[in-house]
Amino acid sequence: MKNLINVILLFVSLSTLINVKAQSDVEFLDNRIIYTKYYVADFFNDTSKWAWEWDVVYRRQSQLGDWKAWEHPLRYSIRPWIAYQFTKMTRVSLNPIALFNTAPRYPLETDLNRPFERELRTTLQINNYAYYQRFNFTHRMRFESRWRGIDNENINHNWRFRYRIRTRIPLNTDYFYKNNTWYITDYHEVHIEFGRDYGTNYFSQNRNFLGLGYRFWDWTRIELGYLYQLNTRGNNQQIDFSQGPMFYLFMDILSRNQRRYNYSF
């Protein structure tokens, strides 16, 4: 059932994209990207439900519709988290504060003069897990407080809510947490933003990813796939259509305890 929901979400996303492009004056701006994310986490000790997490995001992009996605910077950030496993299926994480360094996307000549933006962000994250036979599902919700343009005289603040559903399907085993498991992974995510200093492009972003993953050392995984992402600009008439490869490295040391807790990361 949940896999069917994933398919429906993807269909709705693609249908919306096609309908908007056919029926309105919205301009889609081509942008090529390379996304990477590195994640490590562990419990504070073998009996605690408290854990720490750390992630690093590094992204590159093309310029003026070029295909060379590695040539220009897009995003760099480091985030520390504190997490608590409330139940075997629910984990709550808090990132008290993190610094994000972000370049504008460069599909247009006029974008080349837009400055980098530094942002401080606080994030509350809830992960809820579900299973159906060999299928592994994760529902992730994020509630973010964003202080944008912190180097400017007037700092803008807004709120953002994010929802993501992710599916992982083992290929050569019947269990996602077995060593040497190959698996298919996909996710779909929507971003909704609002606030006093924010405009009217409330549905600001949509991300869709499909990839192949491999688990080794019991608690380490790599994933490589393809991402396409829609970012609505503030004028609601232009949408950055970004696409390209995405690489993940997960060192989820917490997985060593999956036999005791029977939950997923």
Side-chain angles (χ1 to χ4, degrees):
M1 175 60 72
K2 293 191 186 310
N3 196 48
L4 177 61
I5 292 174
N6 256 1
V7 174
I8 293 173
L9 284 172
L10 179 58
F11 176 77
V12 169
S13 176
L14 290 174
S15 299
T16 301
L17 175 61
I18 293 171
N19 289 334
V20 168
K21 192 168 185 178
Q23 300 176 13
S24 74
D25 296 327
V26 170
E27 180 184 9
F28 285 81
L29 309 175
D30 186 37
N31 189 42
R32 301 308 168 99
I33 53 173
I34 297 177
Y35 279 16
T36 63
K37 183 174 182 178
Y38 309 91
Y39 169 90
V40 60
D42 196 3
F43 287 104
F44 285 104
N45 58 61
D46 290 339
T47 60
S48 176
K49 289 189 175 184
W50 288 96
W52 58 267
E53 304 171 345
W54 196 273
D55 71 50
V56 177
V57 170
Y58 186 68
R59 301 172 182 171
R60 306 286 293 184
Q61 65 173 328
S62 66
Q63 188 177 94
L64 303 180
D66 191 85
W67 58 273
K68 299 176 183 178
W70 60 85
E71 283 201 334
H72 302 279
L74 177 56
R75 162 72 58 81
Y76 175 66
S77 67
I78 300 176
R79 281 184 295 191
W81 302 80
I82 182 75
Y84 186 77
Q85 194 74 27
F86 279 90
T87 70
K88 67 179 182 180
M89 296 296 184
T90 303
R91 184 172 83 256
V92 177
S93 306
L94 175 66
N95 164 234
I97 199 74
L99 176 65
F100 290 75
N101 300 276
T102 306
R105 296 174 192 269
Y106 294 135
L108 300 175
E109 290 276 359
T110 53
D111 295 325
L112 301 180
N113 296 323
R114 295 167 59 197
F116 272 69
E117 180 180 79
R118 296 206 308 155
E119 171 190 345
L120 290 176
R121 187 184 304 178
T122 299
T123 305
L124 176 67
Q125 174 176 279
I126 302 173
N127 279 292
N128 185 260
Y129 306 97
Y131 301 89
Y132 179 73
Q133 296 180 357
R134 67 194 295 127
F135 297 93
N136 178 298
F137 303 96
T138 306
H139 299 275
R140 188 186 76 181
M141 292 173 285
R142 281 183 173 175
F143 305 89
E144 299 175 335
S145 177
R146 309 180 67 191
W147 291 270
R148 305 174 67 173
I150 60 173
D151 297 313
N152 301 335
E153 183 177 349
N154 297 315
I155 300 175
N156 293 325
H157 177 266
N158 70 277
W159 306 92
R160 181 163 71 181
F161 170 73
R162 300 167 57 169
Y163 171 74
R164 186 187 76 179
I165 181 169
R166 179 180 64 187
T167 306
R168 296 176 294 198
I169 309 170
L171 296 175
N172 61 323
T173 70
D174 58 359
Y175 189 48
F176 176 68
Y177 291 97
K178 284 185 179 179
N179 198 19
N180 299 317
T181 293
W182 290 92
Y183 60 92
I184 294 173
T185 177
D186 84 286
Y187 69 73
H188 312 284
E189 183 175 26
V190 62
H191 296 199
I192 300 174
E193 302 199 50
F194 55 94
R196 182 191 62 188
D197 300 323
Y198 195 73
T200 58
N201 54 326
Y202 303 116
F203 292 92
S204 61
Q205 191 175 145
N206 173 255
R207 297 182 187 178
N208 301 274
F209 172 82
L210 178 65
L212 180 68
Y214 178 66
R215 175 181 290 277
F216 58 100
W217 297 346
D218 290 326
W219 45 268
T220 301
R221 296 180 287 119
I222 56 173
E223 294 179 1
L224 180 63
Y226 199 81
L227 176 82
Y228 74 87
Q229 176 177 326
L230 304 176
N231 291 71
T232 305
R233 295 199 174 196
N235 59 18
N236 286 307
Q237 295 299 310
Q238 294 174 313
I239 295 178
D240 290 296
F241 184 21
S242 302
Q243 57 181 314
M246 182 164 189
F247 172 79
Y248 285 100
L249 171 64
F250 297 94
M251 301 182 71
D252 52 342
I253 306 172
L254 312 100
S255 294
R256 293 181 304 181
N257 293 318
Q258 58 88 11
R259 292 180 178 85
R260 176 162 62 90
Y261 290 114
N262 190 28
Y263 53 60
S264 94
F265 292 89

